[in-house]
Amino acid sequence: MADTVQPTDEERAAARHYLMRFEVDTLRSRPLWIRLIIEFIGTFILVTVAAGAGVINHYAGGNPISRTAAVIAPGAVVMAMIYAWGPLSGLHINPAVTFAFTGRGVFPMKWVVPYWVVQLGGAICAGLFLQWMFGDVAAGGNYPISMPGGEWKSLVMEALLTTILVSIILNTATGHRSIGHNAAIAVGSTVALLGLFASPISGASMNPARSLGPDIVANDYTGWWIYIAGPLIGATIAVIIIGLVRGLPSKAEQGAAEGDALPETTA
C-alpha cells in the first residue's frame, strides 16, 4: 500500500489560518443596520412561506398544498436561512426568540425594540405581498380552534410549543445567534415537527410576528392576544428552564452577544 502523503507544516499553518479566519467572520458582531435588514428579510420570507400555504390553497382551490407540506415548508426555510444568514443577525425572525435571548442576558436590550419593529414590518409586508398576489390573506392566518374552550386550549398549546422551540434555540445557539448545522437542523426540524401534530389546534405559530402580520393586513384579529401571550409565556418558561439546568450565561456566551468573544488573528 502506498504511503499516505502527509501535509507540510506550511499547509497545516494555512489550514489553521483559514479556519480561524472563517470562525472570526462567522462569529464577529455585525452592525445593527445589517442585522435589521436580515431580520426584516428573514421574517418576510418566513411569513410568506408559512401564511402563503393557506392563501394559495384558498386561491387555487382544492387544497393542493397538504397540511403536512404546509408545516414542513416553514421549518425547511428556517433551516436554510440559519445556514445562510445566521451569522449576520442571529436570525431570530421571531419576537419571542429576541425576548428569550434578552431574558437569558445574552442580547443587548437596546436592540430589542428595533428587532421587534423590523420583524413585525417584515411580517406585514409579507401579508401585503400575499394580499396583492392572491387576495384574502386571512386564509393564511392563525386562529384558535373553533371548539368549546378553543381559546384557552390554543393559548396553552402556543405556550407549550414555544417553550419547546425556544429551549431548542437557546441550547443550540452561539451566544444570542442561531448559527451552524446544529442550530439549523435542530430548529428547522422542531418547527416542522411541532406543526405536524399541533397546527390543527392553534396553527402552531410560536411567533407573534407571523400571526399579527397577516391579521393586520386582513383586519381580522380573532384570538390575536393568544399569539402574543402564548409565545411570550413559552419563551419565559424556556429561559427559566435553561437557567435551572445550565446556570447563568458564561462569560463567553455573554461576550458573543457583543461580538467580543473572538479569537485573535492576523491579516
Side-chain angles (χ1 to χ4, degrees):
M1 182 179 294
D3 293 337
T4 302
V5 177
Q6 298 295 324
T8 65
D9 291 341
E10 290 79 7
E11 290 171 334
R12 293 192 186 94
R16 287 195 298 270
H17 180 74
Y18 171 79
L19 291 174
M20 187 171 291
R21 289 300 296 260
F22 178 79
E23 183 178 1
V24 169
D25 183 66
T26 298
L27 295 181
R28 71 184 177 89
S29 187
R30 281 0 192 232
L32 180 59
W33 67 269
I34 291 179
R35 298 169 179 274
L36 297 182
I37 290 173
I38 296 301
E39 287 296 309
F40 178 89
I41 296 173
T43 310
F44 175 88
I45 292 173
L46 172 61
V47 175
T48 299
V49 171
V55 174
I56 292 172
N57 266 343
H58 185 270
Y59 174 79
N63 293 326
I65 302 172
S66 67
R67 186 176 74 86
T68 300
V71 298
I72 289 178
V77 79
V78 166
M79 186 185 304
M81 289 194 293
I82 290 175
Y83 276 120
W85 294 335
L88 298 181
S89 75
L91 204 77
H92 298 184
I93 57 176
N94 183 340
V97 173
T98 302
F99 176 78
F101 279 126
T102 306
R104 176 68 175 153
V106 295
F107 187 75
M109 192 168 292
K110 62 185 178 182
W111 289 348
V112 173
V113 172
Y115 263 55
W116 282 353
V117 169
V118 297
Q119 288 161 356
L120 183 58
I124 292 172
C125 286
L128 290 170
F129 170 75
L130 292 171
Q131 179 69 29
W132 171 66
M133 285 288 293
F134 309 109
D136 201 6
V137 71
N142 293 127
Y143 305 106
I145 186 172
S146 299
M147 298 287 286
E151 286 199 345
W152 75 263
K153 292 180 189 296
S154 297
L155 174 64
V156 172
M157 188 59 73
E158 283 296 307
L160 173 62
L161 299 181
T162 309
T163 299
I164 297 170
L165 175 62
V166 173
S167 293
I168 298 297
I169 292 172
L170 291 177
N171 281 282
T172 58
T174 299
H176 65 292
R177 293 171 289 185
S178 297
I179 300 177
H181 65 278
N182 288 334
I185 295 172
V187 176
S189 61
T190 299
V191 171
L193 290 172
L194 295 179
L196 282 172
F197 89 90
S199 61
I201 304 301
S202 65
S205 171
M206 305 169 280
N207 185 334
R210 180 264 179 267
S211 294
L212 292 179
D215 283 355
I216 291 170
V217 175
N219 196 29
D220 184 345
Y221 301 99
T222 304
W224 65 272
W225 61 275
I226 292 169
Y227 301 97
I228 296 177
L232 293 182
I233 291 170
T236 300
I237 294 172
V239 171
I240 293 172
I241 291 172
I242 193 173
L244 291 174
V245 300
R246 296 183 60 179
L248 296 175
S250 65
K251 290 184 178 180
E253 191 177 358
Q254 291 175 321
E258 297 290 347
D260 59 3
L262 302 176
E264 295 294 330
T265 186
T266 57

